Amino acid sequence: MCHFSEATASGNSDTTHSKKQILNDQSTLITRTVGRLGFATSRECLACGVHLTLVDYDEAALDQAIQNIKQEYPEVKILKILADVTCEEQVKGDVDQALEVYGRIDSFYNHAGIEGRLVPLPE
């Protein structure tokens, strides 16, 4: 489940690396965790040994998502953050909390739908 091929510098794709070997002990911050894509991404990351910071504005749904994840991965450490990612100050706080707990953030999965002002495109 957690394998992929990576081409070498010579163009060979004979070398197969385990995602778990590559991603193990990395830290990822995921926004809009309770959506289907955010939840599936969280589970895939955990299967590969990634430490998670899960951010959402819906506390009840976030708690339920974490409970579901913990049933499958009872030993994992998850940093839960309630935040509105449309607020820049809250986002800065999210990042600061994740850095304080994990020491670094290796990747962000910004799944929250922030579209800004929608306007029609000219023809």
Side-chain angles (χ1 to χ4, degrees), residues 47-118:
C48 295
V50 175
H51 304 293
L52 292 181
T53 300
L54 303 180
V55 181
D56 207 291
Y57 62 88
D58 184 338
E59 184 172 20
L62 183 56
D63 287 341
Q64 183 63 52
I66 291 171
Q67 182 179 0
N68 291 341
I69 289 168
K70 291 254 186 190
Q71 287 176 356
E72 191 170 352
Y73 302 98
E75 302 293 321
V76 301
K77 183 176 181 184
I78 297 173
L79 175 60
K80 169 187 146 182
I81 298 179
L82 293 174
D84 176 357
V85 297
T86 64
C87 176
E88 185 177 344
E89 288 304 313
Q90 286 187 27
V91 172
K92 288 177 183 178
D94 303 345
V95 169
D96 290 344
Q97 286 181 61
L99 289 171
E100 185 175 314
V101 170
Y102 298 121
R104 68 179 200 260
I105 300 172
D106 297 296
S107 59
F108 288 84
Y109 184 78
N110 299 311
H111 180 64
I114 302 172
E115 298 170 353
R117 190 172 71 107
L118 300 177

Side-chain angles (χ1 to χ4, degrees), residues 19-20 22-30 42 44-53 76-78 102 106-107:
K19 282 185 193 176
K20 186 158 182 135
I22 294 169
L23 299 175
N24 192 44
D25 287 329
Q26 289 197 5
S27 170
T28 296
L29 187 147
I30 301 174
S42 299
E44 181 66 20
C45 286
L46 288 170
C48 295
V50 175
H51 304 293
L52 292 181
T53 300
V76 301
K77 183 176 181 184
I78 297 173
Y102 298 121
D106 297 296
S107 59

